[in-house]
Amino acid sequence: MAVVDHAETQARGTKPAPEGNVLDVRDLRMRYGTKDVLTGVNFTAHPGEVVALLGPNGAGKTTTIEILEGFRMRSAGDVSVLGVDPAHGDENWRARLGVVLQSWRDHGKWKVRELLQHLGLYYAPYSTDHITRPWDADELVAAVGLTEHADKKISRLSGGQRRRLDVAIGIVGRPELLFLDEPTAGFDPEARREFHDLVHQLADAATTILLTTHDLDEAEKLADRILILAGGTIIADGSADELARRMSTEAEVKWTVDGQRFVHSTSDATEFVRQLFAQHDDKLADLEVRRASLEDTYMAMVQQFESGRQEAAVREFEVVTR
Amino acid sequence: MTSTTAAVRAGLARGRAEVRQTLTNGQDLWNYIFPSMVFLIVMFFMRDSTVPGTTFSLGSRTLPSVIGMGIAFGGLVTLMMQLAVEREDGTLLRAKAIPNGMLGYLIGKIVTVSGMTVVAQSIVLIPSLFMLDGITIDWFTLIWVMALGLVATLPLGAVAGSMFSNTRNTGIIMLPVMGLVAISGIFYPISAMPEWVQGLAQVFPIYWLGLGMRSAMLPDGLSAVEIGESWRHLEMLGVLGAWAAAGLIVAPMVLRRMARRESGSSVAERREKAMQRVT
């Protein structure tokens, strides 16, 4: 009997998302008053994938993530999160999600372990054959590296420790999908590195993670796949390597002839340099070939975006990436 | 165990934990003790005056009235402040991110505020029993009036707390509440007021909580100085019951609307504003 039930559960479990996508966003649009913030966002995420939503401030990253969390109603488009439309997500759906919120001073009088134990109570009825909920408070405290502060009042934690607690709260229900909105904003480099280790651990445990960041370096370090959001739409989608390869079509060549400096941009650096040698031979000196990195291209785009030339920036970026 | 049961149990545990926390930190203890001290001193100096037309101590008459007022304050003001603060600091958003978290949060808040009210009123009541004469407690009346009083005022506090996203604006509510205290016969018998003021005071719960507590703690003979020369338990049940019913209908709607609008960015926005206030 139990075996049959089990099999049925599994069969049913696979039905809602036939392609196996944890996240499936199609033509998502959001308008505030007359301002279009999202003008057609499309992306998906597979189970266990770590996806970074990268973009300049004000690009709509937080709006996107809040729609997926079910905290904000969208204007239009089809969205499926764990096979459910977040606008109609029930508590059963909610129990499978983790949301890491930026804490400030809430629950200041609670102790770290006490709060995790308490919040875990809500998840106990949602255990399944595969996932035991909630995460044991002591194990969780250890997993986020707060063991020595477990009995400290939360108001006495440092900023970095609080952030670890935020993550612990986000994962106390052993979520299948975890949302992290600007997780390392305001971190010092040490705290940032520790946080990155923590995200890697979660990713190893097959949790699907969607994080937003405006920091390309962070996206490269954490994500299997980077989505660049700008001008209300996803303008690039791929692994850091893929994006870099797609964008490195332009290269800058620098050289000197008889002490005079020259600079030239070209899409075929090898051929250009071959010609240089043919022309100048041993008069050629100080040769330098530099491909535009992903970061160069991204930074240029952000600068243009922030100086108000949004559409031009997006178009340029699209030209480069395609 | 169903998920709702789990949330109800978690809410009860949350309330217990929060009441315990208020007993172990200086700020909260001060908030309990300071107003109680003020009332005790006031009643101490009133103890030798008499209720007009009787030989009964005015101080002893004030004790139950103050406790009635304290219950109304607990339900209304304490809950309002906590909701406003916890909305600003993101406690509510955390509850929203958890399965059945809002249910647990609300149950927790009701337990917390009720517990805090009981603690605060005990701090007034217990020393008073040694200081004042003529108090005889009818526990049955005390408990039902207190329970009904909390049910009548808590939803009002929840509605008020949902209306203000900025904790500083809660002061707007305090002014009319103070005005109501002044006309509700707490520190001086209401019969001294003009009749239209008496009529106004009798619409609101504070007067009835004061009356109810007096009926639970004073000798029956003292009902003679009340309106209608009676403790009027039936009318009390009617007015407090009406507030409770109205509140229980309206509060969930207002709370739901408030909760729907909570998101990470709305909390972040309030944090920005609060930070600007500090600097």
Side-chain angles (χ1 to χ4, degrees), chain A residues 66 72 91 94 103-107 109-110 114 118 122 126 166, chain B residues 3 10 14 20-21 28 88 91 94 97 99-100 104 263-265 271:
Chain A
E66 286 184 353
R72 200 175 276 282
E91 303 301 318
R94 174 72 57 206
S103 77
W104 168 23
R105 58 178 189 205
D106 63 285
H107 291 98
K109 293 174 196 165
W110 290 72
E114 183 190 27
H118 170 71
Y122 292 88
Y126 296 101
D166 289 339
Chain B
S3 51
R14 182 181 184 86
R20 200 176 53 238
Q21 286 158 5
D28 285 320
E88 187 178 58
T91 308
R94 284 220 193 283
N100 301 297
S263 67
S265 45
R271 174 170 48 200

PDB file of all heavy atoms in Angstrom, chain A residues 66 72 91 94 103-107 109-110 114 118 122 126 166, chain B residues 3 10 14 20-21 28 88 91 94 97 99-100 104 263-265 271:
ATOM      1  N   GLU A  66      10.318  39.510  -6.518  1.00  0.00           N
ATOM      2  CA  GLU A  66       9.141  39.606  -5.643  1.00  0.00           C
ATOM      3  C   GLU A  66       7.891  39.030  -6.317  1.00  0.00           C
ATOM      4  O   GLU A  66       7.010  38.496  -5.645  1.00  0.00           O
ATOM      5  CB  GLU A  66       8.907  41.055  -5.203  1.00  0.00           C
ATOM      6  CG  GLU A  66       9.926  41.488  -4.152  1.00  0.00           C
ATOM      7  CD  GLU A  66       9.706  42.878  -3.609  1.00  0.00           C
ATOM      8  OE1 GLU A  66       8.835  43.598  -4.132  1.00  0.00           O
ATOM      9  OE2 GLU A  66      10.405  43.247  -2.652  1.00  0.00           O
ATOM     10  N   ARG A  72       4.197  40.083  -4.958  1.00  0.00           N
ATOM     11  CA  ARG A  72       3.823  41.199  -5.808  1.00  0.00           C
ATOM     12  C   ARG A  72       3.040  40.658  -7.005  1.00  0.00           C
ATOM     13  O   ARG A  72       3.395  39.611  -7.540  1.00  0.00           O
ATOM     14  CB  ARG A  72       5.108  41.901  -6.278  1.00  0.00           C
ATOM     15  CG  ARG A  72       4.927  43.300  -6.767  1.00  0.00           C
ATOM     16  CD  ARG A  72       6.274  43.913  -7.077  1.00  0.00           C
ATOM     17  NE  ARG A  72       6.913  44.475  -5.898  1.00  0.00           N
ATOM     18  CZ  ARG A  72       6.582  45.646  -5.356  1.00  0.00           C
ATOM     19  NH1 ARG A  72       5.646  46.373  -5.904  1.00  0.00           N
ATOM     20  NH2 ARG A  72       7.185  46.087  -4.282  1.00  0.00           N
ATOM     21  N   GLU A  91      -0.315  27.585   0.904  1.00  0.00           N
ATOM     22  CA  GLU A  91       0.682  27.420   1.962  1.00  0.00           C
ATOM     23  C   GLU A  91       1.577  26.206   1.686  1.00  0.00           C
ATOM     24  O   GLU A  91       2.734  26.171   2.074  1.00  0.00           O
ATOM     25  CB  GLU A  91      -0.005  27.269   3.324  1.00  0.00           C
ATOM     26  CG  GLU A  91      -0.923  28.426   3.698  1.00  0.00           C
ATOM     27  CD  GLU A  91      -0.214  29.773   3.759  1.00  0.00           C
ATOM     28  OE1 GLU A  91       0.913  29.828   4.290  1.00  0.00           O
ATOM     29  OE2 GLU A  91      -0.782  30.773   3.278  1.00  0.00           O
ATOM     30  N   ARG A  94       4.136  27.518  -0.525  1.00  0.00           N
ATOM     31  CA  ARG A  94       4.975  28.412   0.271  1.00  0.00           C
ATOM     32  C   ARG A  94       6.013  27.621   1.068  1.00  0.00           C
ATOM     33  O   ARG A  94       7.161  28.049   1.228  1.00  0.00           O
ATOM     34  CB  ARG A  94       4.037  29.230   1.180  1.00  0.00           C
ATOM     35  CG  ARG A  94       4.634  30.128   2.192  1.00  0.00           C
ATOM     36  CD  ARG A  94       5.303  31.373   1.677  1.00  0.00           C
ATOM     37  NE  ARG A  94       4.523  32.270   0.871  1.00  0.00           N
ATOM     38  CZ  ARG A  94       5.068  33.086  -0.040  1.00  0.00           C
ATOM     39  NH1 ARG A  94       6.371  33.101  -0.236  1.00  0.00           N
ATOM     40  NH2 ARG A  94       4.319  33.879  -0.763  1.00  0.00           N
ATOM     41  N   SER A 103      17.394  41.403   6.776  1.00  0.00           N
ATOM     42  CA  SER A 103      16.863  41.754   8.081  1.00  0.00           C
ATOM     43  C   SER A 103      17.450  43.084   8.515  1.00  0.00           C
ATOM     44  O   SER A 103      18.420  43.580   7.978  1.00  0.00           O
ATOM     45  CB  SER A 103      17.181  40.692   9.102  1.00  0.00           C
ATOM     46  OG  SER A 103      18.512  40.798   9.496  1.00  0.00           O
ATOM     47  N   TRP A 104      16.823  43.617   9.537  1.00  0.00           N
ATOM     48  CA  TRP A 104      17.237  44.930   9.967  1.00  0.00           C
ATOM     49  C   TRP A 104      17.316  44.897  11.493  1.00  0.00           C
ATOM     50  O   TRP A 104      18.383  44.855  12.064  1.00  0.00           O
ATOM     51  CB  TRP A 104      16.219  45.923   9.410  1.00  0.00           C
ATOM     52  CG  TRP A 104      16.287  47.295   9.954  1.00  0.00           C
ATOM     53  CD1 TRP A 104      17.366  47.890  10.535  1.00  0.00           C
ATOM     54  CD2 TRP A 104      15.239  48.252   9.959  1.00  0.00           C
ATOM     55  NE1 TRP A 104      17.044  49.173  10.899  1.00  0.00           N
ATOM     56  CE2 TRP A 104      15.754  49.416  10.554  1.00  0.00           C
ATOM     57  CE3 TRP A 104      13.921  48.232   9.515  1.00  0.00           C
ATOM     58  CZ2 TRP A 104      14.975  50.553  10.718  1.00  0.00           C
ATOM     59  CZ3 TRP A 104      13.169  49.362   9.677  1.00  0.00           C
ATOM     60  CH2 TRP A 104      13.698  50.523  10.261  1.00  0.00           C
ATOM     61  N   ARG A 105      16.180  44.840  12.158  1.00  0.00           N
ATOM     62  CA  ARG A 105      16.227  44.769  13.607  1.00  0.00           C
ATOM     63  C   ARG A 105      15.068  43.918  14.143  1.00  0.00           C
ATOM     64  O   ARG A 105      14.727  44.010  15.297  1.00  0.00           O
ATOM     65  CB  ARG A 105      16.158  46.176  14.199  1.00  0.00           C
ATOM     66  CG  ARG A 105      14.908  46.897  13.764  1.00  0.00           C
ATOM     67  CD  ARG A 105      14.777  48.264  14.376  1.00  0.00           C
ATOM     68  NE  ARG A 105      13.445  48.742  14.051  1.00  0.00           N
ATOM     69  CZ  ARG A 105      13.084  50.005  13.987  1.00  0.00           C
ATOM     70  NH1 ARG A 105      13.967  50.935  14.232  1.00  0.00           N
ATOM     71  NH2 ARG A 105      11.858  50.343  13.693  1.00  0.00           N
ATOM     72  N   ASP A 106      14.453  43.102  13.264  1.00  0.00           N
ATOM     73  CA  ASP A 106      13.326  42.282  13.724  1.00  0.00           C
ATOM     74  C   ASP A 106      13.819  41.154  14.630  1.00  0.00           C
ATOM     75  O   ASP A 106      14.964  40.727  14.543  1.00  0.00           O
ATOM     76  CB  ASP A 106      12.565  41.712  12.524  1.00  0.00           C
ATOM     77  CG  ASP A 106      13.410  40.788  11.690  1.00  0.00           C
ATOM     78  OD1 ASP A 106      14.259  41.304  10.955  1.00  0.00           O
ATOM     79  OD2 ASP A 106      13.250  39.565  11.784  1.00  0.00           O
ATOM     80  N   HIS A 107      12.948  40.678  15.491  1.00  0.00           N
ATOM     81  CA  HIS A 107      13.239  39.576  16.408  1.00  0.00           C
ATOM     82  C   HIS A 107      14.491  39.810  17.252  1.00  0.00           C
ATOM     83  O   HIS A 107      15.194  38.857  17.597  1.00  0.00           O
ATOM     84  CB  HIS A 107      13.396  38.251  15.636  1.00  0.00           C
ATOM     85  CG  HIS A 107      12.115  37.761  15.039  1.00  0.00           C
ATOM     86  ND1 HIS A 107      11.777  37.982  13.722  1.00  0.00           N
ATOM     87  CD2 HIS A 107      11.072  37.095  15.572  1.00  0.00           C
ATOM     88  CE1 HIS A 107      10.592  37.456  13.481  1.00  0.00           C
ATOM     89  NE2 HIS A 107      10.131  36.923  14.589  1.00  0.00           N
ATOM     90  N   LYS A 109      14.954  40.430  20.291  1.00  0.00           N
ATOM     91  CA  LYS A 109      14.998  39.865  21.642  1.00  0.00           C
ATOM     92  C   LYS A 109      15.117  38.341  21.618  1.00  0.00           C
ATOM     93  O   LYS A 109      15.302  37.722  22.647  1.00  0.00           O
ATOM     94  CB  LYS A 109      13.733  40.242  22.418  1.00  0.00           C
ATOM     95  CG  LYS A 109      13.618  41.727  22.721  1.00  0.00           C
ATOM     96  CD  LYS A 109      12.268  42.005  23.356  1.00  0.00           C
ATOM     97  CE  LYS A 109      11.944  43.479  23.330  1.00  0.00           C
ATOM     98  NZ  LYS A 109      10.506  43.691  23.612  1.00  0.00           N
ATOM     99  N   TRP A 110      14.966  37.744  20.442  1.00  0.00           N
ATOM    100  CA  TRP A 110      15.047  36.287  20.340  1.00  0.00           C
ATOM    101  C   TRP A 110      16.507  35.860  20.287  1.00  0.00           C
ATOM    102  O   TRP A 110      17.360  36.592  19.804  1.00  0.00           O
ATOM    103  CB  TRP A 110      14.329  35.796  19.081  1.00  0.00           C
ATOM    104  CG  TRP A 110      12.850  35.943  19.127  1.00  0.00           C
ATOM    105  CD1 TRP A 110      12.151  37.107  19.047  1.00  0.00           C
ATOM    106  CD2 TRP A 110      11.877  34.902  19.250  1.00  0.00           C
ATOM    107  NE1 TRP A 110      10.806  36.850  19.112  1.00  0.00           N
ATOM    108  CE2 TRP A 110      10.613  35.506  19.240  1.00  0.00           C
ATOM    109  CE3 TRP A 110      11.966  33.508  19.362  1.00  0.00           C
ATOM    110  CZ2 TRP A 110       9.427  34.771  19.343  1.00  0.00           C
ATOM    111  CZ3 TRP A 110      10.790  32.771  19.455  1.00  0.00           C
ATOM    112  CH2 TRP A 110       9.539  33.399  19.451  1.00  0.00           C
ATOM    113  N   GLU A 114      16.813  29.677  19.326  1.00  0.00           N
ATOM    114  CA  GLU A 114      15.404  29.748  19.725  1.00  0.00           C
ATOM    115  C   GLU A 114      14.525  30.143  18.535  1.00  0.00           C
ATOM    116  O   GLU A 114      13.488  29.526  18.261  1.00  0.00           O
ATOM    117  CB  GLU A 114      15.284  30.794  20.845  1.00  0.00           C
ATOM    118  CG  GLU A 114      13.894  30.950  21.431  1.00  0.00           C
ATOM    119  CD  GLU A 114      13.797  32.165  22.363  1.00  0.00           C
ATOM    120  OE1 GLU A 114      14.564  33.138  22.174  1.00  0.00           O
ATOM    121  OE2 GLU A 114      12.944  32.147  23.262  1.00  0.00           O
ATOM    122  N   HIS A 118      11.798  27.894  16.544  1.00  0.00           N
ATOM    123  CA  HIS A 118      10.411  28.360  16.474  1.00  0.00           C
ATOM    124  C   HIS A 118       9.909  28.380  15.029  1.00  0.00           C
ATOM    125  O   HIS A 118       8.851  27.841  14.728  1.00  0.00           O
ATOM    126  CB  HIS A 118      10.295  29.754  17.080  1.00  0.00           C
ATOM    127  CG  HIS A 118       8.962  30.389  16.837  1.00  0.00           C
ATOM    128  ND1 HIS A 118       7.817  29.960  17.464  1.00  0.00           N
ATOM    129  CD2 HIS A 118       8.576  31.372  15.995  1.00  0.00           C
ATOM    130  CE1 HIS A 118       6.794  30.659  17.026  1.00  0.00           C
ATOM    131  NE2 HIS A 118       7.222  31.517  16.134  1.00  0.00           N
ATOM    132  N   TYR A 122       6.629  25.636  11.885  1.00  0.00           N
ATOM    133  CA  TYR A 122       5.630  25.820  10.828  1.00  0.00           C
ATOM    134  C   TYR A 122       5.828  24.825   9.676  1.00  0.00           C
ATOM    135  O   TYR A 122       4.904  24.577   8.914  1.00  0.00           O
ATOM    136  CB  TYR A 122       5.717  27.241  10.264  1.00  0.00           C
ATOM    137  CG  TYR A 122       5.298  28.319  11.241  1.00  0.00           C
ATOM    138  CD1 TYR A 122       6.206  28.885  12.126  1.00  0.00           C
ATOM    139  CD2 TYR A 122       3.978  28.775  11.278  1.00  0.00           C
ATOM    140  CE1 TYR A 122       5.821  29.876  13.010  1.00  0.00           C
ATOM    141  CE2 TYR A 122       3.587  29.768  12.155  1.00  0.00           C
ATOM    142  CZ  TYR A 122       4.508  30.318  13.020  1.00  0.00           C
ATOM    143  OH  TYR A 122       4.119  31.291  13.894  1.00  0.00           O
ATOM    144  N   TYR A 126       4.960  19.704   6.657  1.00  0.00           N
ATOM    145  CA  TYR A 126       5.210  19.642   5.210  1.00  0.00           C
ATOM    146  C   TYR A 126       6.353  18.704   4.849  1.00  0.00           C
ATOM    147  O   TYR A 126       6.891  18.779   3.751  1.00  0.00           O
ATOM    148  CB  TYR A 126       5.486  21.051   4.669  1.00  0.00           C
ATOM    149  CG  TYR A 126       4.288  21.967   4.822  1.00  0.00           C
ATOM    150  CD1 TYR A 126       4.220  22.903   5.851  1.00  0.00           C
ATOM    151  CD2 TYR A 126       3.218  21.890   3.932  1.00  0.00           C
ATOM    152  CE1 TYR A 126       3.114  23.737   5.988  1.00  0.00           C
ATOM    153  CE2 TYR A 126       2.110  22.714   4.057  1.00  0.00           C
ATOM    154  CZ  TYR A 126       2.073  23.634   5.095  1.00  0.00           C
ATOM    155  OH  TYR A 126       0.981  24.447   5.231  1.00  0.00           O
ATOM    156  N   ASP A 166      19.863  35.372   8.481  1.00  0.00           N
ATOM    157  CA  ASP A 166      18.840  35.559   7.441  1.00  0.00           C
ATOM    158  C   ASP A 166      18.810  34.350   6.506  1.00  0.00           C
ATOM    159  O   ASP A 166      17.745  33.871   6.132  1.00  0.00           O
ATOM    160  CB  ASP A 166      19.138  36.812   6.605  1.00  0.00           C
ATOM    161  CG  ASP A 166      18.896  38.094   7.379  1.00  0.00           C
ATOM    162  OD1 ASP A 166      18.155  38.040   8.375  1.00  0.00           O
ATOM    163  OD2 ASP A 166      19.451  39.129   6.991  1.00  0.00           O
TER     164      ASP A 166
ATOM    165  N   SER B   3      -1.341  21.397   9.139  1.00  0.00           N
ATOM    166  CA  SER B   3      -0.502  22.590   9.087  1.00  0.00           C
ATOM    167  C   SER B   3      -1.111  23.727   9.909  1.00  0.00           C
ATOM    168  O   SER B   3      -0.396  24.522  10.504  1.00  0.00           O
ATOM    169  CB  SER B   3      -0.323  23.017   7.639  1.00  0.00           C
ATOM    170  OG  SER B   3      -1.588  23.113   7.015  1.00  0.00           O
ATOM    171  N   ALA B  10       2.457  26.909  17.126  1.00  0.00           N
ATOM    172  CA  ALA B  10       3.635  27.770  17.023  1.00  0.00           C
ATOM    173  C   ALA B  10       3.295  29.178  17.507  1.00  0.00           C
ATOM    174  O   ALA B  10       4.095  29.822  18.182  1.00  0.00           O
ATOM    175  CB  ALA B  10       4.132  27.808  15.572  1.00  0.00           C
ATOM    176  N   ARG B  14       4.979  31.166  20.419  1.00  0.00           N
ATOM    177  CA  ARG B  14       5.565  32.467  20.120  1.00  0.00           C
ATOM    178  C   ARG B  14       5.137  33.503  21.166  1.00  0.00           C
ATOM    179  O   ARG B  14       5.950  34.270  21.671  1.00  0.00           O
ATOM    180  CB  ARG B  14       5.102  32.911  18.731  1.00  0.00           C
ATOM    181  CG  ARG B  14       5.689  34.211  18.291  1.00  0.00           C
ATOM    182  CD  ARG B  14       5.166  34.593  16.913  1.00  0.00           C
ATOM    183  NE  ARG B  14       5.835  35.809  16.501  1.00  0.00           N
ATOM    184  CZ  ARG B  14       7.004  35.831  15.899  1.00  0.00           C
ATOM    185  NH1 ARG B  14       7.608  34.713  15.592  1.00  0.00           N
ATOM    186  NH2 ARG B  14       7.574  36.958  15.593  1.00  0.00           N
ATOM    187  N   ARG B  20       7.836  36.093  27.935  1.00  0.00           N
ATOM    188  CA  ARG B  20       9.025  35.798  28.747  1.00  0.00           C
ATOM    189  C   ARG B  20      10.135  36.811  28.442  1.00  0.00           C
ATOM    190  O   ARG B  20      10.801  37.304  29.340  1.00  0.00           O
ATOM    191  CB  ARG B  20       9.497  34.374  28.459  1.00  0.00           C
ATOM    192  CG  ARG B  20      10.402  33.814  29.566  1.00  0.00           C
ATOM    193  CD  ARG B  20      10.770  32.373  29.289  1.00  0.00           C
ATOM    194  NE  ARG B  20      11.328  32.194  27.968  1.00  0.00           N
ATOM    195  CZ  ARG B  20      10.826  31.369  27.049  1.00  0.00           C
ATOM    196  NH1 ARG B  20       9.764  30.649  27.316  1.00  0.00           N
ATOM    197  NH2 ARG B  20      11.401  31.259  25.863  1.00  0.00           N
ATOM    198  N   GLN B  21      10.281  37.133  27.153  1.00  0.00           N
ATOM    199  CA  GLN B  21      11.332  38.090  26.781  1.00  0.00           C
ATOM    200  C   GLN B  21      11.109  39.462  27.415  1.00  0.00           C
ATOM    201  O   GLN B  21      12.060  40.140  27.784  1.00  0.00           O
ATOM    202  CB  GLN B  21      11.396  38.236  25.252  1.00  0.00           C
ATOM    203  CG  GLN B  21      12.029  37.043  24.571  1.00  0.00           C
ATOM    204  CD  GLN B  21      11.634  36.938  23.114  1.00  0.00           C
ATOM    205  OE1 GLN B  21      10.955  37.807  22.573  1.00  0.00           O
ATOM    206  NE2 GLN B  21      12.052  35.871  22.459  1.00  0.00           N
ATOM    207  N   ASP B  28      11.768  46.709  28.758  1.00  0.00           N
ATOM    208  CA  ASP B  28      10.390  46.249  28.930  1.00  0.00           C
ATOM    209  C   ASP B  28       9.968  46.294  30.395  1.00  0.00           C
ATOM    210  O   ASP B  28       8.839  46.663  30.707  1.00  0.00           O
ATOM    211  CB  ASP B  28      10.232  44.827  28.386  1.00  0.00           C
ATOM    212  CG  ASP B  28      10.219  44.812  26.867  1.00  0.00           C
ATOM    213  OD1 ASP B  28       9.598  45.716  26.282  1.00  0.00           O
ATOM    214  OD2 ASP B  28      10.829  43.915  26.272  1.00  0.00           O
ATOM    215  N   GLU B  88       7.238  47.744  10.251  1.00  0.00           N
ATOM    216  CA  GLU B  88       8.372  48.553   9.805  1.00  0.00           C
ATOM    217  C   GLU B  88       9.651  47.722   9.768  1.00  0.00           C
ATOM    218  O   GLU B  88      10.432  47.822   8.830  1.00  0.00           O
ATOM    219  CB  GLU B  88       8.542  49.756  10.733  1.00  0.00           C
ATOM    220  CG  GLU B  88       9.583  50.744  10.244  1.00  0.00           C
ATOM    221  CD  GLU B  88       9.707  51.952  11.156  1.00  0.00           C
ATOM    222  OE1 GLU B  88       9.997  51.767  12.356  1.00  0.00           O
ATOM    223  OE2 GLU B  88       9.520  53.082  10.677  1.00  0.00           O
ATOM    224  N   THR B  91       9.294  42.034  10.647  1.00  0.00           N
ATOM    225  CA  THR B  91       8.831  40.823  11.338  1.00  0.00           C
ATOM    226  C   THR B  91       7.634  40.221  10.604  1.00  0.00           C
ATOM    227  O   THR B  91       7.527  39.007  10.423  1.00  0.00           O
ATOM    228  CB  THR B  91       8.409  41.155  12.787  1.00  0.00           C
ATOM    229  OG1 THR B  91       9.471  41.864  13.421  1.00  0.00           O
ATOM    230  CG2 THR B  91       8.111  39.899  13.573  1.00  0.00           C
ATOM    231  N   ARG B  94       8.538  38.418   7.409  1.00  0.00           N
ATOM    232  CA  ARG B  94       9.049  37.071   7.709  1.00  0.00           C
ATOM    233  C   ARG B  94       7.890  36.103   7.896  1.00  0.00           C
ATOM    234  O   ARG B  94       7.924  34.981   7.401  1.00  0.00           O
ATOM    235  CB  ARG B  94       9.867  37.088   8.987  1.00  0.00           C
ATOM    236  CG  ARG B  94      11.216  37.674   8.824  1.00  0.00           C
ATOM    237  CD  ARG B  94      12.240  36.882   9.631  1.00  0.00           C
ATOM    238  NE  ARG B  94      13.481  37.603   9.727  1.00  0.00           N
ATOM    239  CZ  ARG B  94      14.357  37.690   8.753  1.00  0.00           C
ATOM    240  NH1 ARG B  94      14.128  37.073   7.600  1.00  0.00           N
ATOM    241  NH2 ARG B  94      15.455  38.373   8.899  1.00  0.00           N
ATOM    242  N   ALA B  97       6.450  35.034   4.710  1.00  0.00           N
ATOM    243  CA  ALA B  97       7.278  34.156   3.885  1.00  0.00           C
ATOM    244  C   ALA B  97       7.239  32.710   4.362  1.00  0.00           C
ATOM    245  O   ALA B  97       7.858  31.844   3.768  1.00  0.00           O
ATOM    246  CB  ALA B  97       8.722  34.666   3.882  1.00  0.00           C
ATOM    247  N   PRO B  99       4.973  29.213   5.673  1.00  0.00           N
ATOM    248  CA  PRO B  99       3.624  28.640   5.511  1.00  0.00           C
ATOM    249  C   PRO B  99       2.785  28.845   6.775  1.00  0.00           C
ATOM    250  O   PRO B  99       3.231  28.497   7.864  1.00  0.00           O
ATOM    251  CB  PRO B  99       3.890  27.152   5.252  1.00  0.00           C
ATOM    252  CG  PRO B  99       5.291  26.909   5.719  1.00  0.00           C
ATOM    253  CD  PRO B  99       6.024  28.191   5.538  1.00  0.00           C
ATOM    254  N   ASN B 100       1.605  29.414   6.610  1.00  0.00           N
ATOM    255  CA  ASN B 100       0.686  29.739   7.711  1.00  0.00           C
ATOM    256  C   ASN B 100       1.305  30.683   8.731  1.00  0.00           C
ATOM    257  O   ASN B 100       0.863  30.781   9.874  1.00  0.00           O
ATOM    258  CB  ASN B 100       0.202  28.477   8.441  1.00  0.00           C
ATOM    259  CG  ASN B 100      -0.506  27.530   7.498  1.00  0.00           C
ATOM    260  OD1 ASN B 100      -1.530  27.871   6.933  1.00  0.00           O
ATOM    261  ND2 ASN B 100       0.074  26.371   7.278  1.00  0.00           N
ATOM    262  N   GLY B 104       0.020  32.150  12.631  1.00  0.00           N
ATOM    263  CA  GLY B 104       0.837  31.979  13.827  1.00  0.00           C
ATOM    264  C   GLY B 104       1.236  33.313  14.427  1.00  0.00           C
ATOM    265  O   GLY B 104       1.212  33.494  15.642  1.00  0.00           O
ATOM    266  N   SER B 263       6.337  43.552   1.181  1.00  0.00           N
ATOM    267  CA  SER B 263       7.327  42.867   0.358  1.00  0.00           C
ATOM    268  C   SER B 263       8.693  43.372   0.786  1.00  0.00           C
ATOM    269  O   SER B 263       8.789  44.328   1.555  1.00  0.00           O
ATOM    270  CB  SER B 263       7.093  43.160  -1.121  1.00  0.00           C
ATOM    271  OG  SER B 263       7.356  44.519  -1.373  1.00  0.00           O
ATOM    272  N   GLY B 264       9.719  42.710   0.282  1.00  0.00           N
ATOM    273  CA  GLY B 264      11.077  43.104   0.653  1.00  0.00           C
ATOM    274  C   GLY B 264      11.336  44.563   0.377  1.00  0.00           C
ATOM    275  O   GLY B 264      11.933  45.273   1.180  1.00  0.00           O
ATOM    276  N   SER B 265      10.837  45.042  -0.772  1.00  0.00           N
ATOM    277  CA  SER B 265      11.156  46.425  -1.123  1.00  0.00           C
ATOM    278  C   SER B 265      10.379  47.407  -0.260  1.00  0.00           C
ATOM    279  O   SER B 265      10.876  48.497   0.029  1.00  0.00           O
ATOM    280  CB  SER B 265      10.914  46.684  -2.608  1.00  0.00           C
ATOM    281  OG  SER B 265       9.694  46.143  -3.024  1.00  0.00           O
ATOM    282  N   ARG B 271      12.944  51.163   5.924  1.00  0.00           N
ATOM    283  CA  ARG B 271      14.242  51.180   6.606  1.00  0.00           C
ATOM    284  C   ARG B 271      15.009  52.440   6.204  1.00  0.00           C
ATOM    285  O   ARG B 271      15.560  53.131   7.036  1.00  0.00           O
ATOM    286  CB  ARG B 271      15.032  49.932   6.221  1.00  0.00           C
ATOM    287  CG  ARG B 271      16.445  49.946   6.770  1.00  0.00           C
ATOM    288  CD  ARG B 271      17.115  48.614   6.592  1.00  0.00           C
ATOM    289  NE  ARG B 271      16.966  48.112   5.247  1.00  0.00           N
ATOM    290  CZ  ARG B 271      17.107  46.839   4.905  1.00  0.00           C
ATOM    291  NH1 ARG B 271      17.355  45.950   5.808  1.00  0.00           N
ATOM    292  NH2 ARG B 271      16.978  46.455   3.650  1.00  0.00           N
TER     293      ARG B 271
END
